[in-house]
Amino acid sequence: PPDPNVQPPPAVSEELDAMPFCNVCNVPVFARSKHCRACNKCVDVFDHHCMWLNNCVGGQNYRAFFATVSAVSVMIGIILGTSTYLLVDCFLNERQFEQRVRSIAFMENFPKEFFVGLLVTMIAINGPLFLLDSQLVLLHIFLASQQLTTYEYIMSKQGQLDSEEAEFPAYSEDEAGGGRRR
C-alpha cells in the first residue's frame, strides 16, 4: 500500500512517464525514493530502515533521526565523563569520596569497593556505546556533507567492489594455491 504522505509531484502525463515507478506500490515515485521491504511502503529520499526505531529514515524525518542519535551520543558522553571523574576522584580523594557517600542515608553501609565496581561497570558499558554512537554521528555528518543517503553510499561502495572484482577476479584454489586474491 502506498504511503499517503508520499505523493508524486503534480505533473503532466509526459512527466509521469519519465518518473521512476514502484511496482510494489503501483505509483510513480520521486527519483531518490525507494520501497522499504520492512515497512512495505515507498520512502522519499530513503536513507535506511532503522531497526532500533522500527521506522524508515528518509527526507521527512532525517533531521529528527540525526538529532536523536547526536543527543544519545552527548548523553552517553556525559555518563562516561562523570563515571570516569568519580572513579579517579575515588582514588585521589578517598576521604572526601567516602564522606560524600556516607552523607547519603541509604548508601552509608555500602563499602567503597561497591562504588568502584559500579563505576568500572558504567565505564565498561558506556565506553563502547559512546564510540559506536559517535562513529554513527560522524558517518552521518560525512554523508550530509556529501549529500548522500546511507543507501546511496552503500550502493556506491557495492558498485565499486563489484567493478574491482570484475577487473581483478579471484583465482580458483587450483590456480592460486588456496584461493587467494591478487
Side-chain angles (χ1 to χ4, degrees), residues 43-95:
V43 179
D44 187 27
V45 193
F46 179 82
D47 191 81
H48 68 283
H49 181 86
C50 181
M51 66 180 195
W52 305 109
L53 299 174
N54 193 29
N55 197 23
C56 283
V57 176
Q60 296 294 316
N61 63 352
Y62 184 81
R63 285 184 180 178
F65 167 77
F66 184 76
T68 301
V69 171
S70 298
V72 168
S73 186
V74 169
M75 178 190 68
I76 293 172
I78 290 170
I79 291 170
L80 189 59
T82 302
S83 297
T84 304
Y85 168 78
L86 289 172
L87 185 63
V88 169
D89 189 50
C90 176
F91 289 109
L92 294 181
N93 303 315
E94 266 187 77
R95 250 188 218 161

Side-chain angles (χ1 to χ4, degrees), residues 89-102 112:
D89 189 50
C90 176
F91 289 109
L92 294 181
N93 303 315
E94 266 187 77
R95 250 188 218 161
Q96 289 177 339
F97 184 82
E98 287 185 23
Q99 286 174 349
R100 279 189 300 213
V101 170
R102 303 279 180 244
K112 175 185 170 189

Side-chain angles (χ1 to χ4, degrees), residues 1-37:
D3 184 357
N5 296 320
V6 179
Q7 298 293 325
V12 293
S13 62
E14 298 93 30
E15 289 175 347
L16 283 176
D17 290 340
M19 289 179 68
F21 190 82
C22 176
N23 292 323
V24 177
C25 294
N26 251 355
V27 294
V29 294
F30 294 105
R32 293 179 78 187
S33 297
K34 181 187 174 303
H35 188 86
C36 175
R37 285 180 255 143

